[in-house]
Amino acid sequence: LPSKGLCKTCLSHRPFPPRALPRNRVLKREHNRGRLEIRFLQCLEVTPSQVGFPGARLAARLETRVKRAGQWTREVVFLLSSLTLEQLQAQGMLRLKRNYWVIESRLHHCLDVTLQEDLSRVRTPNSALVLGMLRRVVLSVSNAAVDKARQANPKSKFNTKTFRQRFLSARGGRE
């Protein structure tokens, strides 16, 4: 019995009830920052000689579709892992790829916005290394202060930039 708006071929290709995806594939739909995101990941066990990368045991194809302002964009990324499908199912690989951006937003963005790391004019390798370590220590202390403030009040808008402003004004530094 065809439903209104669907042709016979569409109905014949859509099994009911929908089958569960095997563990080597995962489909995620979610709303993120006011936009719809659909991610589909397929995993395949490989040998290092097949992909030309030492230690590779799992290859994956991640297709991401995002709807922004009524327009769909599509991006395809290929991933490699040294874990097997038994150790890391498709759901776990998608979670790892998603968590990759936590480092970018929690560390690198904070270093640039709070400590203005991109404006640094230090060029000698040892000086850059020492200054980079000091920046990361300061950022760790400020993140701890931010986490403590948010535990006390979860709705707090306290962030590393406000921590910097308070620190500078308390120590008589520039604002």
Side-chain angles (χ1 to χ4, degrees):
L1 252 173
S3 299
K4 188 175 181 178
L6 294 175
C7 64
K8 291 179 183 178
T9 56
C10 292
L11 289 174
S12 65
H13 287 68
R14 295 178 63 188
F16 188 82
R19 285 179 267 145
L21 290 175
R23 63 188 182 146
N24 67 336
R25 292 185 284 172
V26 66
L27 177 71
K28 275 279 202 199
R29 288 183 182 96
E30 63 186 30
H31 289 276
N32 188 10
R33 296 184 182 162
R35 60 185 183 229
L36 176 63
E37 291 184 9
I38 301 171
R39 288 186 298 283
F40 180 68
L41 184 102
Q42 289 178 294
C43 294
L44 176 68
E45 287 189 323
V46 294
T47 62
S49 60
Q50 286 177 316
V51 292
F53 200 86
R57 300 292 305 267
L58 190 65
R61 179 183 180 272
L62 174 63
E63 181 179 343
T64 305
R65 289 178 281 171
V66 180
K67 188 174 186 178
R68 291 185 187 105
Q71 296 285 358
W72 283 97
T73 59
R74 181 175 171 259
E75 179 185 22
V76 177
V77 177
F78 294 92
L79 309 166
L80 290 175
S81 175
S82 60
L83 300 175
T84 63
L85 194 56
E86 294 294 322
Q87 296 167 322
L88 179 71
Q89 296 178 1
Q91 183 75 30
M93 189 150 210
L94 189 61
R95 193 176 311 113
L96 284 176
K97 176 63 178 156
R98 186 86 169 144
N99 290 342
Y100 164 79
W101 290 104
V102 170
I103 295 169
E104 178 65 31
S105 61
R106 183 86 172 163
L107 177 66
H108 299 297
H109 179 71
C110 289
L111 283 171
D112 188 32
V113 170
T114 307
L115 300 173
Q116 299 163 349
E117 188 177 49
D118 287 349
L119 298 177
S120 176
R121 298 185 59 99
V122 176
R123 298 292 177 246
T124 58
N126 286 339
S127 300
L129 178 69
V130 170
L131 197 54
M133 282 195 279
L134 288 174
R135 282 189 185 111
R136 281 162 177 75
V137 167
V138 168
L139 187 64
S140 295
V141 170
S142 66
N143 279 335
V146 168
D147 289 344
K148 187 175 180 181
R150 287 189 180 151
Q151 283 177 354
N153 181 9
K155 293 183 178 182
S156 172
K157 293 186 179 181
F158 191 70
N159 59 27
T160 54
K161 197 169 184 178
T162 55
F163 174 82
R164 175 179 177 247
Q165 290 168 348
R166 285 185 183 179
F167 180 78
L168 289 175
S169 63
R171 302 283 186 242
R174 296 178 307 155
E175 287 195 45

